Amino acid sequence: MRPAATWLFVPGNGPRRFAKAAAAGADAVVIDLEDAVRPEDKDTARAETLRWLSEGGQAWVRINAAGTPWFDADVDAVAGASGLLGVLVPKAEDPAALAALSARLGTAVVALVETAAGLHRVHDVAAAPGVTRLAFGALDLAADLGADDTAEAMLFARSTIVLASRVAGLPAPIDGVTTVIDDADAVTAAARYARSLGFRGKLCIHPAQIEPTARGLAPGADEIAWARAVLRAAEGSAGAVTGPDGRMIDKPVLDRAHAILRS
C-alpha cells in the first residue's frame, strides 16, 4: 500500500471542522492539539478530539511535546480511543521515549524532526521501535538554529531525514508545511521540490493545499514517459542498451523507472 502522501491538519478546538477535514480528500487527517491550540483551549481540544475518535471518527493526533504541561494529559486522553490511527510527536529527540509512547498507546508514531537535537539523533529516532515514519518541521528547526526557512538553509536537514528513513527501512518521509495557501502553483512547486529530495508526503494546513500538493508529489508526465521509454528499450535485451536520453540503461536506471511507475 502506498504510504499516505497528503496529511491535513485540523485544530483540535474546532470540532465542527473535523468532518469537513475528513471529507476533504487528504490521505490522512491530523487533529492538532499542539501549535494550533492556545494553552487556555487545550482541555477543550482534548475533550473534543476524544469525542470525535470515540464516536466513529478516525484520525491521527498531533500531541504536545514531551516535557510540556500537556503531554501526559494528551496521551491519557487518546489512549484506547477506537478511532486513533496514530500520533505525531513534535520535537522528537529521544528514541527511548518514542518507543515507550508507542508501547503505551499500542499505535504507530510519526516522529516530527524539528530541533537541532532531533536532527542530530535522527538515525536513532528513525530506528526506535514503534516509529513508522519521519516528518520534518522546517519552521521549528529554522527557529531553533537561528537560520532562514529557505530551500538552501534546510537542504542538509531534509537530505539527512531522507537518508535516515532509508537506512531504517521506513517509508520516505513527510515534508513540513508550506505556509502559502492561495497560490496553488507555489504549493505544487514546494511539493515537487520535496519529492526531488526523496520525500513522498507533505503536511498541509488547509484543504486548498491538498490537490496541488498531491500533484507535486506525484511523478510528472515527463517522468512517466521517460520511465516507460526506458522499460521499452530494455525489454528483451541481453546486452548494453541506450535509453531515450542517450545514456546507457543499467540496473539503477531500471530500478528508477520501475519506482516511478509504481508511485
Side-chain angles (χ1 to χ4, degrees):
M1 183 179 297
R2 179 178 64 87
T6 51
W7 295 67
L8 177 64
F9 280 123
V10 59
N13 59 339
R16 287 180 293 182
R17 297 164 63 180
F18 292 176
K20 292 180 180 179
D27 294 323
V29 171
V30 183
I31 299 178
D32 190 12
L33 301 180
E34 194 213 12
D35 284 350
V37 180
R38 298 177 302 179
E40 60 267 32
D41 295 330
K42 298 286 189 185
D43 290 343
T44 298
R46 197 178 294 119
E48 294 294 351
T49 298
L50 179 58
R51 189 191 323 278
W52 169 260
L53 296 176
S54 301
E55 295 179 354
Q58 290 189 323
W60 291 73
V61 175
R62 178 164 71 171
I63 60 176
N64 285 276
T68 66
W70 312 286
F71 174 78
D72 287 327
D74 287 353
V75 176
D76 289 341
V78 300
S82 58
L84 180 67
L85 300 177
V87 291
L88 273 69
V89 180
K91 313 296 191 294
E93 300 173 353
D94 185 344
L98 293 168
L101 175 62
S102 178
R104 179 178 174 185
L105 293 176
T107 191
V109 167
V110 170
L112 269 163
V113 180
E114 48 189 356
T115 64
L119 185 63
H120 181 67
R121 303 188 69 186
V122 67
H123 285 276
D124 294 330
V125 167
V131 171
T132 59
R133 205 165 179 189
L134 299 181
F136 180 42
L139 296 174
D140 284 277
L141 181 64
D144 191 29
L145 295 175
D148 292 335
D149 175 29
T150 60
E152 181 181 12
M154 293 294 107
L155 177 58
F156 173 78
R158 282 190 166 95
S159 297
T160 300
I161 290 168
V162 170
L163 177 63
S165 296
R166 181 65 181 132
V167 170
L170 299 180
I174 305 160
D175 192 32
V177 300
T178 297
T179 55
V180 174
I181 295 174
D182 298 328
D183 187 340
D185 290 341
V187 173
T188 296
R192 186 168 291 129
Y193 172 72
R195 174 185 166 83
S196 75
L197 297 179
F199 287 83
R200 291 296 183 270
K202 194 157 177 64
L203 302 174
C204 301
I205 55 175
H206 192 279
Q209 293 182 324
I210 295 172
E211 193 278 331
T213 295
R215 184 166 62 248
L217 290 172
D222 54 342
E223 285 184 277
I224 293 173
W226 173 87
R228 288 174 174 165
V230 165
L231 296 181
R232 283 197 302 269
E235 186 176 2
S237 175
V241 179
T242 300
D245 54 4
R247 299 181 181 181
M248 184 184 72
I249 298 175
D250 56 6
K251 186 178 184 302
V253 173
L254 289 173
D255 288 346
R256 178 173 177 238
H258 283 297
I260 288 171
L261 295 180
R262 283 197 304 266
S263 61

